[in-house]
Amino acid sequence: MAAAPTLPLPRQRGRERYCAKAERIPSPAGGGGSGWGLGALAVAKTQARFACQECGAVYPKWAGRCEACGAWNSLIEELPRSGPPKSLGGSSRVGSNHNAQSLAFVALRGDSAQAPRHLTGIAELDRVCGGGLVPGSAILVGGDPGIGKSTLLLQAAAAVAAGGGAAAYITGEEAIDQVRLRARRLGVESAPVQLAVATSVRDIAASLDIANPPVLAVIDSIQTMYLDTLDSAPGTVSQVRGAAQELIGLAQRRGIALVLVGHVTKEGTIAGPRVLEHMVDTVLYFEGERGHHFRILRAVKNRFGATDEIGVFEMSDRGLVEVPNPSAMFLAERADTEHGEEAATGAAVFAGIEGTRPVLVEIQALVAPSLLGTPRRAVVGWDSTRLAMIIAVLDARCGLSVGANDIYLNVAGGLRIGEPAADLAVAAALVSALTETPVPTDTVVFGEIGLSGRVRPVSHSDARLKEAAKLGFTQAWLPARRGQRARSADGIATTPIAHLSDLVERLAPERRRLRRVAAAP
């Protein structure tokens, strides 16, 4: 008896109809067989993607919050490229690209012709850049709105143009009359600066890609530039990345010192993809409060100089004026104590290093009874986490009741300190405020404090002491080294501090009664 024919299931019948319409292509295994593929039936569909405008993370669909950086409403729809660039469109297998050329490897040692740097005429700006502008380099300048980015760069362009070099200032945010008004206020309207308003990268490249390009080109700002080859709006991740890549490539070909102005987010970081900071050679940040008349220009990345180098400027009605001696500026108010006034408690002078420059700054502390169950901590210019560590070490290792009070810490002058060498100066200011014992006005303090209370040595001690002696200081409290005793160097007497308790004994001897401020019940 013949068996009944087996009918295919509905899902199998649909699969057979689907495969029947597919194009038969050779098997990728290359064994002579064949396999079923979609072939010409499959049409590549360009799907939109959503990129975060804060960090550059890409998602397949829109979401209200970026999972990478935590920013809200920062995902913008962008259309990716339909395919790879033509120069990379060959087969992905190694050795299949017949147009490739072998690399010419060279040794590490060799003669390298380095082009001379271009001086801007602003000594503080040249110092931050590592000694001047390097031809063919790209510099990214960021800062809060109204901090002085456009003012400083217009002054630099005018100084370069007045010195005989061609300088171009291209703005996409302001009109010609607005820039001219600023130039008239700064007193540089007579400088031969090439001024233009443009947002198209194609037009800017056509204007700068000439036989005699300018020495300096300022683009204000990169978030306003756009490439007509991309479908996204100006300011998006793809536009910022593509525009920067085109402008940097042009600067390298023509030897132009390119300066890009970048917007910042509410957290203070440069807006756009993080890859933008990797593409440029130097990243400069403007620091300082808008209500404060001092501005700090800090290099957080520099391929041609030292990082964390700072330039200090003072905002005036004639623009930004450079400050050649920042230490004297930060300590200007302490000069009043030399005229018979009593020294204030809760203040200590810290001898720090910013890049390659020694800087002296005053650290102020205030210890007050706490009216709440949780004491308050207010920190300006320093890391609040390190302050909590110093307070814990003073309580646990030195027997002081510091943590039960409200503590206010401030770095005078608007400078932000990041090095651990400021630990000892902060501790001196706290103990001075708690015991009402002033730190001697002719003393500088520096050193790193460990959790055990030991004071650890720091680098560049000689440069710190030399700067302190230059400003008239005669004593220094610094970390103790093995076998080191009190000595005099560079006209300044050094007192080694091995443990934090040694500092407490100097500011709160046994003959003085410690004023322990208890927390309110």
Side-chain angles (χ1 to χ4, degrees):
M1 183 177 180
T6 303
L7 297 177
L9 296 176
R11 182 178 298 178
Q12 294 176 345
R13 291 198 300 268
R15 183 178 180 182
E16 291 177 357
R17 289 195 301 268
Y18 181 74
C19 294
K21 297 179 181 180
E23 179 185 3
R24 192 175 184 85
I25 60 176
S27 174
S34 61
W36 290 96
L38 299 181
L41 179 66
V43 178
K45 181 180 179 180
T46 303
Q47 297 181 352
R49 63 179 184 179
F50 295 86
C52 177
Q53 304 305 303
E54 301 292 340
C55 64
V58 179
Y59 299 90
K61 60 181 181 180
W62 185 87
R65 182 174 182 270
C66 175
E67 298 296 336
C69 63
W72 290 92
N73 299 325
S74 62
L75 300 186
I76 303 297
E77 182 180 0
E78 296 182 359
L79 293 176
R81 294 183 179 182
S82 58
K86 294 182 179 180
S87 59
L88 302 179
S91 175
S92 61
R93 291 183 295 179
V94 178
S96 60
N97 193 351
H98 301 288
N99 296 326
Q101 298 180 359
S102 300
L103 300 178
F105 294 97
V106 296
L108 291 177
R109 176 178 298 180
D111 296 333
S112 299
Q114 185 176 2
R117 295 174 181 259
H118 301 296
L119 299 179
T120 62
I122 304 177
E124 292 295 304
L125 179 59
D126 294 336
R127 180 189 184 94
V128 175
C129 294
L133 302 177
V134 178
S137 64
I139 302 174
L140 180 61
V141 181
D144 295 334
I147 199 70
K149 302 184 298 297
S150 301
T151 300
L152 178 62
L153 295 179
L154 183 59
Q155 291 180 252
V160 171
Y169 189 93
I170 302 174
T171 176
E173 298 181 344
E174 300 175 287
I176 293 292
D177 294 336
Q178 292 176 322
V179 181
R180 286 176 174 173
L181 286 175
R182 183 186 298 116
R184 188 177 303 118
R185 176 174 58 87
L186 300 177
V188 296
E189 69 275 9
S190 60
V193 177
Q194 303 174 13
L195 179 62
V197 175
T199 56
S200 174
V201 177
R202 185 183 297 272
D203 298 340
I204 296 175
S207 303
L208 298 180
D209 196 2
I210 55 179
N212 295 319
V215 172
L216 172 65
V218 180
I219 307 297
D220 188 10
S221 65
I222 189 60
Q223 275 77 15
T224 61
M225 302 297 147
Y226 75 93
L227 281 171
D228 52 11
T229 57
L230 300 177
D231 297 332
S232 55
T236 58
V237 172
S238 58
Q239 283 285 359
V240 171
R241 181 173 55 242
Q245 184 176 4
E246 293 293 335
L247 294 174
I248 292 174
L250 172 63
Q252 292 175 349
R253 292 194 309 269
R254 290 298 183 178
I256 304 173
L258 179 67
V259 180
L260 305 176
V261 179
H263 295 171
V264 296
T265 62
K266 60 182 179 180
E267 289 81 12
T269 59
I270 296 181
R274 193 69 176 182
V275 70
L276 179 61
E277 300 186 25
H278 293 279
M279 295 170 61
V280 298
D281 300 310
T282 305
V283 180
L284 307 180
Y285 272 92
F286 252 116
E287 300 176 359
E289 300 294 335
R290 181 179 297 183
H292 208 281
H293 58 284
F294 294 120
R295 300 289 187 268
I296 309 297
L297 184 64
R298 184 185 301 272
V300 298
K301 173 190 175 182
N302 194 353
R303 292 173 179 168
F304 308 106
T307 57
D308 285 335
E309 192 73 73
I310 65 169
V312 184
F313 299 89
E314 182 179 2
M315 179 63 75
S316 65
D317 55 350
R318 302 287 293 178
L320 289 172
V321 180
E322 54 184 339
V323 179
N325 192 351
S327 300
M329 178 198 68
F330 292 140
L331 302 177
E333 296 182 359
R334 291 181 60 89
D336 297 336
T337 60
E338 300 178 359
H339 301 285
E341 296 186 6
E342 185 180 356
T345 60
V349 178
F350 165 62
I353 294 291
E354 296 292 338
T356 60
R357 163 186 285 175
V359 176
L360 271 62
V361 64
E362 184 181 50
I363 296 180
Q364 304 169 349
L366 176 63
V367 179
S370 178
L371 301 179
L372 302 176
T374 303
R376 185 178 180 182
R377 305 286 187 265
V379 185
V380 178
W382 204 51
D383 187 10
S384 59
T385 305
R386 296 199 68 88
L387 174 62
M389 186 195 74
I390 299 301
I391 295 173
V393 174
L394 286 173
D395 289 348
R397 307 298 183 186
C398 301
L400 299 180
S401 58
V402 184
N405 308 285
D406 291 339
I407 296 177
Y408 304 87
L409 188 72
N410 176 47
V411 178
L415 180 65
R416 180 168 182 83
I417 300 175
E419 60 172 334
D423 292 349
L424 194 61
V426 171
L430 291 174
V431 176
S432 173
L434 183 68
T435 61
E436 293 184 347
T437 304
V439 179
T441 57
D442 59 347
T443 302
V444 294
V445 187
F446 60 90
E448 181 182 357
I449 299 176
L451 294 179
S452 62
R454 296 285 181 181
V455 181
R456 305 177 59 182
V458 295
S459 59
H460 305 290
S461 297
D462 295 338
R464 303 173 196 262
L465 295 176
K466 186 177 296 183
E467 181 70 14
K470 186 189 303 182
L471 295 178
F473 289 87
T474 59
Q475 300 183 51
W477 296 350
L478 71 168
R481 296 180 181 178
R482 181 172 300 179
Q484 181 184 7
R485 298 180 180 179
R487 60 185 180 89
S488 178
D490 296 327
I492 185 170
T494 61
T495 302
I497 304 294
H499 195 273
L500 191 56
S501 59
D502 299 339
L503 177 69
V504 176
E505 290 179 1
R506 284 189 167 274
L507 294 177
E510 295 180 357
R511 58 185 178 85
R512 289 187 61 96
R513 182 178 57 88
L514 292 179
R515 185 179 65 90
R516 299 175 180 265
V517 184

PDB file of all heavy atoms in Angstrom, residues 165-188:
ATOM      1  N   GLY A 165      52.683  88.924   9.376  1.00  0.00           N
ATOM      2  CA  GLY A 165      52.100  87.675   8.913  1.00  0.00           C
ATOM      3  C   GLY A 165      50.630  87.843   8.571  1.00  0.00           C
ATOM      4  O   GLY A 165      49.919  88.635   9.199  1.00  0.00           O
ATOM      5  N   ALA A 166      50.172  87.105   7.590  1.00  0.00           N
ATOM      6  CA  ALA A 166      48.769  87.175   7.195  1.00  0.00           C
ATOM      7  C   ALA A 166      47.926  86.379   8.188  1.00  0.00           C
ATOM      8  O   ALA A 166      48.273  85.262   8.563  1.00  0.00           O
ATOM      9  CB  ALA A 166      48.572  86.630   5.778  1.00  0.00           C
ATOM     10  N   ALA A 167      46.807  86.957   8.624  1.00  0.00           N
ATOM     11  CA  ALA A 167      45.906  86.322   9.574  1.00  0.00           C
ATOM     12  C   ALA A 167      44.485  86.448   9.066  1.00  0.00           C
ATOM     13  O   ALA A 167      44.060  87.528   8.631  1.00  0.00           O
ATOM     14  CB  ALA A 167      46.037  86.947  10.964  1.00  0.00           C
ATOM     15  N   ALA A 168      43.742  85.346   9.132  1.00  0.00           N
ATOM     16  CA  ALA A 168      42.351  85.307   8.686  1.00  0.00           C
ATOM     17  C   ALA A 168      41.461  84.992   9.875  1.00  0.00           C
ATOM     18  O   ALA A 168      41.736  84.060  10.633  1.00  0.00           O
ATOM     19  CB  ALA A 168      42.157  84.269   7.588  1.00  0.00           C
ATOM     20  N   TYR A 169      40.399  85.777  10.016  1.00  0.00           N
ATOM     21  CA  TYR A 169      39.421  85.564  11.085  1.00  0.00           C
ATOM     22  C   TYR A 169      38.075  85.315  10.421  1.00  0.00           C
ATOM     23  O   TYR A 169      37.480  86.223   9.830  1.00  0.00           O
ATOM     24  CB  TYR A 169      39.355  86.782  12.006  1.00  0.00           C
ATOM     25  CG  TYR A 169      38.545  86.572  13.261  1.00  0.00           C
ATOM     26  CD1 TYR A 169      39.142  86.166  14.440  1.00  0.00           C
ATOM     27  CD2 TYR A 169      37.164  86.773  13.265  1.00  0.00           C
ATOM     28  CE1 TYR A 169      38.409  85.957  15.601  1.00  0.00           C
ATOM     29  CE2 TYR A 169      36.424  86.567  14.404  1.00  0.00           C
ATOM     30  CZ  TYR A 169      37.047  86.161  15.572  1.00  0.00           C
ATOM     31  OH  TYR A 169      36.302  85.953  16.704  1.00  0.00           O
ATOM     32  N   ILE A 170      37.600  84.071  10.518  1.00  0.00           N
ATOM     33  CA  ILE A 170      36.351  83.662   9.880  1.00  0.00           C
ATOM     34  C   ILE A 170      35.355  83.344  10.978  1.00  0.00           C
ATOM     35  O   ILE A 170      35.608  82.486  11.829  1.00  0.00           O
ATOM     36  CB  ILE A 170      36.563  82.434   8.977  1.00  0.00           C
ATOM     37  CG1 ILE A 170      37.626  82.747   7.919  1.00  0.00           C
ATOM     38  CG2 ILE A 170      35.261  82.010   8.315  1.00  0.00           C
ATOM     39  CD1 ILE A 170      38.021  81.551   7.074  1.00  0.00           C
ATOM     40  N   THR A 171      34.243  84.033  10.985  1.00  0.00           N
ATOM     41  CA  THR A 171      33.230  83.854  12.012  1.00  0.00           C
ATOM     42  C   THR A 171      31.929  83.382  11.380  1.00  0.00           C
ATOM     43  O   THR A 171      31.577  83.789  10.264  1.00  0.00           O
ATOM     44  CB  THR A 171      32.989  85.165  12.789  1.00  0.00           C
ATOM     45  OG1 THR A 171      31.937  84.970  13.722  1.00  0.00           O
ATOM     46  CG2 THR A 171      32.618  86.294  11.848  1.00  0.00           C
ATOM     47  N   GLY A 172      31.246  82.501  12.089  1.00  0.00           N
ATOM     48  CA  GLY A 172      29.939  82.044  11.655  1.00  0.00           C
ATOM     49  C   GLY A 172      28.855  82.404  12.631  1.00  0.00           C
ATOM     50  O   GLY A 172      27.697  82.003  12.453  1.00  0.00           O
ATOM     51  N   GLU A 173      29.191  83.156  13.663  1.00  0.00           N
ATOM     52  CA  GLU A 173      28.226  83.519  14.697  1.00  0.00           C
ATOM     53  C   GLU A 173      27.889  84.996  14.695  1.00  0.00           C
ATOM     54  O   GLU A 173      26.820  85.377  15.166  1.00  0.00           O
ATOM     55  CB  GLU A 173      28.774  83.140  16.082  1.00  0.00           C
ATOM     56  CG  GLU A 173      29.029  81.658  16.271  1.00  0.00           C
ATOM     57  CD  GLU A 173      29.556  81.350  17.665  1.00  0.00           C
ATOM     58  OE1 GLU A 173      29.995  82.299  18.341  1.00  0.00           O
ATOM     59  OE2 GLU A 173      29.521  80.180  18.060  1.00  0.00           O
ATOM     60  N   GLU A 174      28.785  85.837  14.219  1.00  0.00           N
ATOM     61  CA  GLU A 174      28.592  87.276  14.284  1.00  0.00           C
ATOM     62  C   GLU A 174      28.613  87.877  12.886  1.00  0.00           C
ATOM     63  O   GLU A 174      29.083  87.259  11.922  1.00  0.00           O
ATOM     64  CB  GLU A 174      29.686  87.925  15.140  1.00  0.00           C
ATOM     65  CG  GLU A 174      29.730  87.424  16.573  1.00  0.00           C
ATOM     66  CD  GLU A 174      30.895  88.016  17.333  1.00  0.00           C
ATOM     67  OE1 GLU A 174      32.039  87.603  17.071  1.00  0.00           O
ATOM     68  OE2 GLU A 174      30.658  88.892  18.170  1.00  0.00           O
ATOM     69  N   ALA A 175      28.120  89.083  12.813  1.00  0.00           N
ATOM     70  CA  ALA A 175      28.171  89.840  11.566  1.00  0.00           C
ATOM     71  C   ALA A 175      29.471  90.639  11.499  1.00  0.00           C
ATOM     72  O   ALA A 175      30.202  90.776  12.482  1.00  0.00           O
ATOM     73  CB  ALA A 175      26.964  90.772  11.465  1.00  0.00           C
ATOM     74  N   ILE A 176      29.726  91.176  10.335  1.00  0.00           N
ATOM     75  CA  ILE A 176      30.955  91.957  10.133  1.00  0.00           C
ATOM     76  C   ILE A 176      30.975  93.169  11.054  1.00  0.00           C
ATOM     77  O   ILE A 176      32.003  93.492  11.662  1.00  0.00           O
ATOM     78  CB  ILE A 176      31.060  92.389   8.661  1.00  0.00           C
ATOM     79  CG1 ILE A 176      31.280  91.171   7.752  1.00  0.00           C
ATOM     80  CG2 ILE A 176      32.191  93.396   8.476  1.00  0.00           C
ATOM     81  CD1 ILE A 176      32.608  90.504   7.937  1.00  0.00           C
ATOM     82  N   ASP A 177      29.834  93.851  11.189  1.00  0.00           N
ATOM     83  CA  ASP A 177      29.799  95.046  12.020  1.00  0.00           C
ATOM     84  C   ASP A 177      30.051  94.724  13.487  1.00  0.00           C
ATOM     85  O   ASP A 177      30.668  95.520  14.213  1.00  0.00           O
ATOM     86  CB  ASP A 177      28.446  95.745  11.872  1.00  0.00           C
ATOM     87  CG  ASP A 177      28.236  96.285  10.463  1.00  0.00           C
ATOM     88  OD1 ASP A 177      29.258  96.523   9.782  1.00  0.00           O
ATOM     89  OD2 ASP A 177      27.074  96.455  10.048  1.00  0.00           O
ATOM     90  N   GLN A 178      29.600  93.566  13.954  1.00  0.00           N
ATOM     91  CA  GLN A 178      29.842  93.190  15.342  1.00  0.00           C
ATOM     92  C   GLN A 178      31.322  92.969  15.614  1.00  0.00           C
ATOM     93  O   GLN A 178      31.850  93.398  16.655  1.00  0.00           O
ATOM     94  CB  GLN A 178      29.042  91.938  15.686  1.00  0.00           C
ATOM     95  CG  GLN A 178      27.541  92.152  15.707  1.00  0.00           C
ATOM     96  CD  GLN A 178      26.786  90.874  15.957  1.00  0.00           C
ATOM     97  OE1 GLN A 178      27.159  89.807  15.459  1.00  0.00           O
ATOM     98  NE2 GLN A 178      25.706  90.950  16.722  1.00  0.00           N
ATOM     99  N   VAL A 179      31.999  92.314  14.698  1.00  0.00           N
ATOM    100  CA  VAL A 179      33.432  92.093  14.873  1.00  0.00           C
ATOM    101  C   VAL A 179      34.181  93.410  14.781  1.00  0.00           C
ATOM    102  O   VAL A 179      35.156  93.647  15.518  1.00  0.00           O
ATOM    103  CB  VAL A 179      33.944  91.087  13.824  1.00  0.00           C
ATOM    104  CG1 VAL A 179      35.431  90.834  13.999  1.00  0.00           C
ATOM    105  CG2 VAL A 179      33.180  89.776  13.936  1.00  0.00           C
ATOM    106  N   ARG A 180      33.750  94.298  13.911  1.00  0.00           N
ATOM    107  CA  ARG A 180      34.412  95.601  13.796  1.00  0.00           C
ATOM    108  C   ARG A 180      34.232  96.442  15.060  1.00  0.00           C
ATOM    109  O   ARG A 180      35.144  97.170  15.473  1.00  0.00           O
ATOM    110  CB  ARG A 180      33.872  96.341  12.583  1.00  0.00           C
ATOM    111  CG  ARG A 180      34.379  95.771  11.252  1.00  0.00           C
ATOM    112  CD  ARG A 180      33.748  96.483  10.071  1.00  0.00           C
ATOM    113  NE  ARG A 180      34.327  96.033   8.806  1.00  0.00           N
ATOM    114  CZ  ARG A 180      33.874  96.398   7.605  1.00  0.00           C
ATOM    115  NH1 ARG A 180      32.824  97.227   7.527  1.00  0.00           N
ATOM    116  NH2 ARG A 180      34.456  95.949   6.511  1.00  0.00           N
ATOM    117  N   LEU A 181      33.056  96.346  15.684  1.00  0.00           N
ATOM    118  CA  LEU A 181      32.853  97.061  16.936  1.00  0.00           C
ATOM    119  C   LEU A 181      33.786  96.546  18.020  1.00  0.00           C
ATOM    120  O   LEU A 181      34.330  97.333  18.818  1.00  0.00           O
ATOM    121  CB  LEU A 181      31.395  96.920  17.367  1.00  0.00           C
ATOM    122  CG  LEU A 181      30.365  97.742  16.579  1.00  0.00           C
ATOM    123  CD1 LEU A 181      28.958  97.403  17.046  1.00  0.00           C
ATOM    124  CD2 LEU A 181      30.633  99.230  16.713  1.00  0.00           C
ATOM    125  N   ARG A 182      33.983  95.220  18.098  1.00  0.00           N
ATOM    126  CA  ARG A 182      34.897  94.670  19.078  1.00  0.00           C
ATOM    127  C   ARG A 182      36.328  95.103  18.780  1.00  0.00           C
ATOM    128  O   ARG A 182      37.093  95.416  19.688  1.00  0.00           O
ATOM    129  CB  ARG A 182      34.810  93.148  19.102  1.00  0.00           C
ATOM    130  CG  ARG A 182      35.709  92.537  20.174  1.00  0.00           C
ATOM    131  CD  ARG A 182      35.746  91.029  20.119  1.00  0.00           C
ATOM    132  NE  ARG A 182      34.456  90.432  20.345  1.00  0.00           N
ATOM    133  CZ  ARG A 182      33.780  89.723  19.460  1.00  0.00           C
ATOM    134  NH1 ARG A 182      34.303  89.510  18.252  1.00  0.00           N
ATOM    135  NH2 ARG A 182      32.616  89.214  19.749  1.00  0.00           N
ATOM    136  N   ALA A 183      36.706  95.105  17.510  1.00  0.00           N
ATOM    137  CA  ALA A 183      38.053  95.531  17.137  1.00  0.00           C
ATOM    138  C   ALA A 183      38.283  96.992  17.490  1.00  0.00           C
ATOM    139  O   ALA A 183      39.376  97.375  17.944  1.00  0.00           O
ATOM    140  CB  ALA A 183      38.297  95.289  15.654  1.00  0.00           C
ATOM    141  N   ARG A 184      37.251  97.825  17.330  1.00  0.00           N
ATOM    142  CA  ARG A 184      37.399  99.228  17.695  1.00  0.00           C
ATOM    143  C   ARG A 184      37.533  99.391  19.207  1.00  0.00           C
ATOM    144  O   ARG A 184      38.297 100.232  19.694  1.00  0.00           O
ATOM    145  CB  ARG A 184      36.190 100.015  17.174  1.00  0.00           C
ATOM    146  CG  ARG A 184      36.343 101.524  17.338  1.00  0.00           C
ATOM    147  CD  ARG A 184      35.165 102.279  16.740  1.00  0.00           C
ATOM    148  NE  ARG A 184      34.995 101.944  15.335  1.00  0.00           N
ATOM    149  CZ  ARG A 184      33.902 101.360  14.841  1.00  0.00           C
ATOM    150  NH1 ARG A 184      32.901 101.043  15.642  1.00  0.00           N
ATOM    151  NH2 ARG A 184      33.806 101.099  13.553  1.00  0.00           N
ATOM    152  N   ARG A 185      36.800  98.580  19.971  1.00  0.00           N
ATOM    153  CA  ARG A 185      36.910  98.650  21.426  1.00  0.00           C
ATOM    154  C   ARG A 185      38.276  98.170  21.906  1.00  0.00           C
ATOM    155  O   ARG A 185      38.820  98.695  22.880  1.00  0.00           O
ATOM    156  CB  ARG A 185      35.799  97.804  22.054  1.00  0.00           C
ATOM    157  CG  ARG A 185      35.867  97.728  23.564  1.00  0.00           C
ATOM    158  CD  ARG A 185      34.651  97.005  24.116  1.00  0.00           C
ATOM    159  NE  ARG A 185      34.535  95.665  23.558  1.00  0.00           N
ATOM    160  CZ  ARG A 185      35.132  94.596  24.068  1.00  0.00           C
ATOM    161  NH1 ARG A 185      35.916  94.718  25.137  1.00  0.00           N
ATOM    162  NH2 ARG A 185      34.954  93.410  23.518  1.00  0.00           N
ATOM    163  N   LEU A 186      38.844  97.181  21.217  1.00  0.00           N
ATOM    164  CA  LEU A 186      40.157  96.656  21.585  1.00  0.00           C
ATOM    165  C   LEU A 186      41.294  97.510  21.060  1.00  0.00           C
ATOM    166  O   LEU A 186      42.451  97.297  21.448  1.00  0.00           O
ATOM    167  CB  LEU A 186      40.309  95.219  21.071  1.00  0.00           C
ATOM    168  CG  LEU A 186      39.307  94.189  21.585  1.00  0.00           C
ATOM    169  CD1 LEU A 186      39.548  92.841  20.936  1.00  0.00           C
ATOM    170  CD2 LEU A 186      39.404  94.071  23.101  1.00  0.00           C
ATOM    171  N   GLY A 187      41.006  98.434  20.158  1.00  0.00           N
ATOM    172  CA  GLY A 187      42.041  99.278  19.593  1.00  0.00           C
ATOM    173  C   GLY A 187      42.883  98.604  18.531  1.00  0.00           C
ATOM    174  O   GLY A 187      44.048  98.991  18.332  1.00  0.00           O
ATOM    175  N   VAL A 188      42.341  97.610  17.818  1.00  0.00           N
ATOM    176  CA  VAL A 188      43.101  96.889  16.793  1.00  0.00           C
ATOM    177  C   VAL A 188      42.425  97.002  15.436  1.00  0.00           C
ATOM    178  O   VAL A 188      42.664  96.178  14.545  1.00  0.00           O
ATOM    179  CB  VAL A 188      43.254  95.401  17.194  1.00  0.00           C
ATOM    180  CG1 VAL A 188      44.073  95.264  18.461  1.00  0.00           C
ATOM    181  CG2 VAL A 188      41.893  94.734  17.370  1.00  0.00           C
TER     182      VAL A 188
END
